[in-house]
Amino acid sequence: MESYILDWANLLLRWLHVITAIAWVGSSFYFVFLDSSLTPPVDEDLKKQGVSGELWAVHGGGFYHPVKFAVSPPKLPDHLHWFFWESYTTWLSGFALLTVSYLWNANIYLVNPANPIMSSNMAIVAALAFLVVFWLLYDGICRIFGQKPNGDAIVGGLVLVLVCIAAYLACHIFPGQAAFLLMGAMIATSMSANVFFWIIPGQRTVVADLKAGKPVDPIHGKRGKQRSVHNTYFTLPVLFAMLSNHYGWLHSHPQNWLVLILMMFAGAAIRQFFVMRHGYKLGRNPHPWKYAAVGVAVLIGTAIWLKPAPQPAPAAANIAPVGQVVMQGEQAAAPAAA
């Protein structure tokens, strides 16, 4: 009965997790596209209101005209939609699914039977530590270097190193499938923590200041935007890791940690291409083809590296042709008949 209940819990949680993840990723992709596609307003009234960019779009038979205010609108509307439940529900359902699928059966999925370096309880603690420690280190990097000159490049380089170290450790502590999944859960936890600890609190501060008639500090918008951009680069690597149970030939490879790093790097590079592509179409960025080329080259190189070794052809059996066998049989039968 316990197995049956867990199967249903797994099914329903996975269903919920996928649905909410689609909503979260979709809204993230849309707003990154929107920011990259905004053009300076033409209407003088919009300029007077403080609009910094606008976009005209058509979808589903209707025309849309979203605008963005650089810091804050002149008047706060009565109905303001907040984008955070997509993130929270995705993380909560994902953590529940991780608990039901892996933590509940840690002795099967988190402990490597070939090299049991830790007990089930220790494996659970180690898995949870990956989620927490990575967030603390990543958040510390953003706090220290995020606002410095060339801060984005410094943060990007340090986070890449941090992900590489985490991938190496995870693949040497846990079985390959669990290691890949935990890496996805680790980064996804930081994505949702960005929303919970930085993006939403900053927006709440801005709204509170507007209601109180106080001047709005633009730092909240800058920090929120920075973490939002980080989340969009994390998306494709996380999606790859979360689907890792379908990639048996990858997570079971002897150098699975390197495979994981290469695949995540390729995903981030391809995502960079799409982020910059919108700005390129408006003449703001040089053509970002090199990012797509790097991502595709890494994918092709990884596929060639992992190509199975050719199997030797089976040795041909020393069997005489059918006609020769028949003739030999007739010759043997002839003396007997005589």
Side-chain angles (χ1 to χ4, degrees), residues 133-139 141 156-169 183 186:
V133 173
F134 180 84
W135 157 250
L136 293 176
L137 294 176
Y138 158 74
D139 186 59
I141 290 172
L158 292 176
V159 172
L160 174 61
V161 172
L162 185 59
V163 170
C164 292
I165 294 173
Y168 180 86
L169 292 176
M183 285 294 297
M186 178 190 79

Side-chain angles (χ1 to χ4, degrees), residues 275-301:
V275 170
M276 297 187 65
R277 176 174 172 269
H278 307 302
Y280 162 74
K281 293 169 70 175
L282 296 175
R284 297 172 184 163
N285 302 323
H287 199 295
W289 65 267
K290 58 184 179 182
Y291 294 102
V294 169
V296 172
V298 171
L299 291 177
I300 294 175

Side-chain angles (χ1 to χ4, degrees), residues 222-254:
K222 292 179 180 178
R223 287 173 176 169
K225 177 63 177 176
Q226 180 191 54
R227 299 302 179 103
S228 180
V229 170
H230 291 178
N231 281 0
T232 201
Y233 290 131
F234 284 150
T235 302
L236 295 190
V238 166
L239 290 176
F240 166 79
M242 288 301 186
L243 298 174
S244 60
N245 60 327
H246 298 288
Y247 317 139
W249 79 97
L250 297 182
H251 62 65
S252 61
H253 192 272

Side-chain angles (χ1 to χ4, degrees), residues 142-317:
C142 293
R143 288 171 181 263
I144 295 171
F145 301 102
Q147 302 303 318
K148 293 182 179 295
N150 298 321
D152 290 341
I154 296 173
V155 170
L158 292 176
V159 172
L160 174 61
V161 172
L162 185 59
V163 170
C164 292
I165 294 173
Y168 180 86
L169 292 176
C171 290
H172 283 78
I173 294 175
F174 304 103
Q177 181 174 325
F180 276 43
L181 186 74
L182 282 173
M183 285 294 297
M186 178 190 79
I187 299 176
T189 296
S190 291
M191 292 172 65
S192 197
N194 278 339
V195 178
F196 185 80
F197 289 111
W198 286 100
I199 298 174
I200 295 302
Q203 291 175 350
R204 291 194 186 280
T205 300
V206 170
V207 170
D209 288 343
L210 285 172
K211 290 181 177 179
K214 299 179 180 178
V216 175
D217 189 345
I219 190 63
H220 301 296
K222 292 179 180 178
R223 287 173 176 169
K225 177 63 177 176
Q226 180 191 54
R227 299 302 179 103
S228 180
V229 170
H230 291 178
N231 281 0
T232 201
Y233 290 131
F234 284 150
T235 302
L236 295 190
V238 166
L239 290 176
F240 166 79
M242 288 301 186
L243 298 174
S244 60
N245 60 327
H246 298 288
Y247 317 139
W249 79 97
L250 297 182
H251 62 65
S252 61
H253 192 272
Q255 282 78 44
N256 53 3
W257 61 274
L258 182 56
V259 173
L260 178 58
I261 291 172
L262 291 174
M263 296 298 290
M264 283 187 161
F265 178 82
I270 292 173
R271 183 67 190 126
Q272 171 75 337
F273 164 77
F274 283 104
V275 170
M276 297 187 65
R277 176 174 172 269
H278 307 302
Y280 162 74
K281 293 169 70 175
L282 296 175
R284 297 172 184 163
N285 302 323
H287 199 295
W289 65 267
K290 58 184 179 182
Y291 294 102
V294 169
V296 172
V298 171
L299 291 177
I300 294 175
T302 303
I304 294 174
W305 169 42
L306 299 179
K307 183 179 67 174
Q311 298 295 324

